[in-house]
Amino acid sequence: MAASRIAAVGAVLVLVLTGCGGAPAPAPPSEISASAYRSRVDDATGGQFQITVTNTGERPVDVHSIALDSPGFDSVPPSVRDVQLQQGSRIDIPTLYGAAVCDSSVEPLSARLSVTREGEPQRDVDVPLDQPYDIIDRIHSEECTAERVESEVTLTLSISAPPAVSTDPLNASLEVTRGKFDGPIRVDELAGSLLYGLKADLPETLDANTDSVTVPLTITTASCEAHVIADSKKPFVFPIYLAFGDDKPVYARIPVPTELQRQLVAYQGMACRR
C-alpha cells in the first residue's frame, strides 16, 4: 500500500463532449478542480468512491457525467449526474471504478468530465484528479491484495444455531481452504464491526501439507444502541489478517453471504431484547 501523502497528484485526462456551435477549445483545468475521497458507504458497498468537483471559475458550469481515467483500473461507463455549479460551488459525485489492473500504476490519474458552460456547447474537459491520502493508490492496493487472497485461499464463515440464552455468544467457525498457494497460511488476527464482536484463539496455521483448517470463533453483539445500529454502514465487514509463507500479514475481509447476514441480524435482535 502506498505511503500516505497530502500532496495531490494528477495528470491530464481526455473527455469526449459533443454539442452545437463552432469548434470550442478545451476548458482550462484551472476553472474546474476535482479530488477523490471514499466514504464509509463507499467502503462498505465496494466498487465506487466520491469525486468532489468544484467550479473555481466565474461562470456557471453544468456537469453531465464523470469517470475515473487511470491505467490502474479497467474502464467503466461514466456516472451520470446533471447538475449546475455556480462560482465557488461544489458537489460530491459517486464514481464507479473497474477491476484493478495489478501490473500497472494508477498514474496518470484524471477525472473525465462532460460539461457545458453558458453560451458554449457541451464538451469534454481534462481535469487532474487530486487524491488526498493516496486514496486511489489505497483502493488499487486493496483490490489487488483481495484478488491475490481470493486466488490463494477460500474463507468460509459458518454460524451455529442461536444460543439457548439470547445474550450468550453465538458459536461460529471459519474454514480456511487452500487455493493455489502451496505453503503455510497463518491466520494472525480477525476483528468484528461496530455491531458484532468476533473472537478466536489465534494465530492458527494451515500447514503446507494440509488442505484446510477450521478456526472456532464466537460472535457477540458489540452494541445495542439504536443510533449505532441505525448509523452503521459496515455491519458485516469483518477484517482478517493472513500471512502467506514468510510474507508479512495482509488485510482481507471475511465474506458474509446474505443468509448469514440474516442470521446475524436475528441474533442481534434477540440479544438486544432485554
Side-chain angles (χ1 to χ4, degrees), residues 51-54 63 81 83 85 89-93:
I51 294 182
T52 302
V53 180
T54 304
V63 178
R81 181 69 178 270
V83 63
L85 296 178
S89 61
R90 66 182 184 182
I91 188 171
D92 297 340
I93 303 178

Side-chain angles (χ1 to χ4, degrees), residues 162-170 219-221 224 264 266-274:
V165 179
S166 63
T167 54
D168 284 350
L170 182 63
I219 301 176
T220 57
T221 54
C224 288
L264 289 171
Y267 167 69
Q268 183 186 44
M270 293 187 297
C272 290
R273 193 182 301 124
R274 300 172 182 174

Side-chain angles (χ1 to χ4, degrees), residues 70-183:
S70 166
F73 297 88
D74 289 342
S75 298
V76 294
S79 300
V80 177
R81 181 69 178 270
D82 282 309
V83 63
Q84 185 176 86
L85 296 178
Q86 301 295 325
Q87 179 184 9
S89 61
R90 66 182 184 182
I91 188 171
D92 297 340
I93 303 178
T95 306
L96 302 176
Y97 60 84
V101 181
C102 297
D103 59 355
S104 177
S105 167
V106 303
E107 299 181 38
L109 181 67
S110 311
R112 177 168 293 177
L113 288 165
S114 172
V115 300
T116 304
R117 282 190 175 83
E118 185 177 358
E120 298 180 1
Q122 182 175 317
R123 65 180 68 180
D124 293 344
V125 293
D126 300 343
V127 182
L129 180 60
D130 298 343
Q131 52 156 344
Y133 305 103
D134 289 341
I135 187 60
I136 304 301
D137 293 89
R138 290 170 56 194
I139 291 174
H140 186 263
S141 177
E142 289 168 6
E143 292 291 319
C144 291
T145 297
E147 181 179 313
R148 174 196 171 190
V149 169
E150 288 175 6
S151 70
E152 295 180 340
V153 70
T154 298
L155 304 174
T156 305
L157 180 65
S158 299
I159 298 175
S160 66
V165 179
S166 63
T167 54
D168 284 350
L170 182 63
N171 290 320
S173 63
L174 178 68
E175 185 176 15
V176 182
T177 305
R178 182 178 307 283
K180 70 177 185 180
F181 186 76
D182 57 6

Side-chain angles (χ1 to χ4, degrees), residues 12-86:
V12 174
L13 73 66
V14 179
L15 303 176
V16 176
L17 294 157
T18 59
C20 56
S30 60
E31 294 186 19
I32 300 175
S33 67
S35 61
Y37 79 92
R38 180 170 55 176
S39 69
R40 289 186 299 164
V41 173
D42 297 329
D43 189 28
T45 302
Q48 71 176 42
F49 66 105
Q50 305 287 319
I51 294 182
T52 302
V53 180
T54 304
N55 178 11
T56 58
E58 297 180 354
R59 293 179 294 167
V61 175
D62 291 305
V63 178
H64 307 295
S65 67
I66 190 167
L68 171 67
D69 188 20
S70 166
F73 297 88
D74 289 342
S75 298
V76 294
S79 300
V80 177
R81 181 69 178 270
D82 282 309
V83 63
Q84 185 176 86
L85 296 178
Q86 301 295 325

